[in-house]
Amino acid sequence: MAAYRPGVLIGNWNEDAYLEEDRFRDFMRKRERGELLTQKINKLQDNLLKKIQLSVSKDGFVHFGDTVMLLNPPNKSSVENYPGACGSLTLAIDLDEISIYSAESLQVPCGVSAVKSVDPMGRNTFCILSVDGDAVGQPIRFGQNFGLGTTGGLSDQMLYLASDHKSFMRSAKKSYLQQVFLTDERSYLTCWKATFLDPQLRLEYEGFPVPANSKIIITHCHTNRSLAVPRNFWTRSYFGKEYEVICHTYLDSHKAEEEKNYWEIVTGNPGDEDGTMIDRPNPHLAGIRRNEFHEET
């Protein structure tokens, strides 16, 4: 017969039992405090996807302190070559799976991408920030420096949209052009300005208030290159397939920016608390495009 039966305890069984109890108590304490990894991931994800109410523009202009979305309007040139990327895209925080599983808050530098969702939420809403000391509520003007900040739905941090000259060690992952990223420090790398869409009228509109929900060019002040979505470079993020955002000025044969550089600063719909001006019906007559500021001329 065997020397030991199944019910006989051997080895450091008492010590193992105490260690197991300690691990269980530690697990329960962390769960109560919300410190488990799965809880941190769920909290971060919930904040990034949390619905955000956009600011409503009463005078039709964009103001310092406004909460807005940056929308790259439908790109007609992408219909034939990239039919899946021809719709509206919004600028958003980009997180890969490694980042979201390794931290409970957004780590810098953090990437940005263009997403198909046009519903305002934590990851695709930005705040217009003053860099010259202008008061909240004053309209931003063409040629005036401003900042773009986002909290990602979190209340304890603010990240700023930034860019810098490309180098051998620093460039966009897919296109290898000038990258755009989020940082937690405000500097000359986080300064942007709005440029009027029509190159022939830019001098005339210099200093005029920037209209909301209208096509403009957003230019990086330090590098003088414009924010763009090429739409032929896509990345795989934690939230799925998204498109690369870069700083590069695409010019056509007339030395005018292409649709890849077009942006609209989207504000809230005054008739709907959760809606945006994208959802608002076009009140203009058929055949007249809205808010394009002499594009037909």
Side-chain angles (χ1 to χ4, degrees), residues 93-297:
I93 298 173
D94 179 27
L95 283 180
D96 55 27
E97 292 190 6
I98 296 177
S99 299
I100 202 166
Y101 282 116
S102 61
E104 59 180 308
S105 60
L106 300 175
Q107 302 296 304
V108 293
C110 181
V112 294
S113 60
V115 301
K116 292 183 178 181
S117 174
V118 293
D119 297 323
M121 51 188 171
R123 66 180 301 232
N124 70 344
T125 53
F126 291 81
C127 181
I128 307 294
L129 305 173
S130 172
V131 298
D132 301 323
D134 295 84
V136 173
Q138 293 186 3
I140 64 172
R141 302 180 181 274
F142 285 110
Q144 183 181 19
N145 294 359
F146 62 88
L148 291 168
T150 180
T151 62
L154 305 173
S155 59
D156 58 347
Q157 67 177 149
M158 174 74 79
L159 301 182
Y160 310 98
L161 190 69
S163 186
D164 199 0
H165 289 288
K166 68 175 183 177
S167 65
F168 180 75
M169 299 294 295
R170 182 180 58 247
S171 64
K173 295 180 180 179
K174 297 291 184 176
S175 63
Y176 299 105
L177 296 174
Q178 184 174 314
Q179 70 174 166
V180 181
F181 56 93
L182 294 168
T183 180
D184 58 353
E185 295 182 0
R186 299 184 68 173
S187 67
Y188 59 91
L189 299 180
T190 61
C191 292
W192 304 82
K193 63 181 179 181
T195 305
F196 193 74
L197 190 67
D198 190 340
Q200 297 181 352
L201 298 174
R202 283 178 185 169
L203 289 179
E204 286 79 353
Y205 277 91
E206 193 80 8
F208 277 70
V210 176
N213 311 294
S214 301
K215 294 177 183 177
I216 60 172
I217 307 296
I218 299 178
T219 305
H220 188 239
C221 298
H222 176 58
T223 61
N224 200 34
R225 287 180 170 82
S226 301
L227 195 65
V229 183
R231 296 185 180 236
N232 57 337
F233 300 104
W234 61 274
T235 59
R236 180 69 63 181
S237 76
Y238 177 80
F239 299 99
K241 180 181 178 180
E242 299 175 350
Y243 296 91
E244 187 174 73
V245 177
I246 59 173
C247 252
H248 185 78
T249 305
Y250 291 90
L251 299 177
D252 59 18
S253 58
H254 300 287
K255 302 298 181 181
E257 286 83 358
E258 297 180 3
E259 293 177 320
K260 302 171 185 177
N261 291 121
Y262 291 1
W263 293 91
E264 294 181 14
I265 301 180
V266 179
T267 57
N269 185 351
D272 185 356
E273 292 184 358
D274 297 328
T276 68
M277 290 300 292
I278 305 173
D279 308 319
R280 196 174 180 88
N282 187 0
H284 293 268
L285 297 177
I288 301 179
R289 293 175 291 179
R290 63 178 178 87
N291 299 331
E292 294 196 0
F293 281 86
H294 303 283
E295 278 189 280
E296 289 87 359
T297 60

Side-chain angles (χ1 to χ4, degrees), residues 34-47:
E35 297 177 352
L36 296 178
L37 179 59
T38 54
Q39 292 175 315
K40 293 178 181 179
I41 294 172
N42 291 335
K43 181 181 178 182
L44 179 59
Q45 181 176 341
D46 291 342
N47 287 323

Side-chain angles (χ1 to χ4, degrees), residues 28-39:
M28 295 301 294
R29 283 195 298 266
K30 287 184 176 181
R31 190 175 71 172
E32 292 175 358
R33 298 173 184 173
E35 297 177 352
L36 296 178
L37 179 59
T38 54
Q39 292 175 315

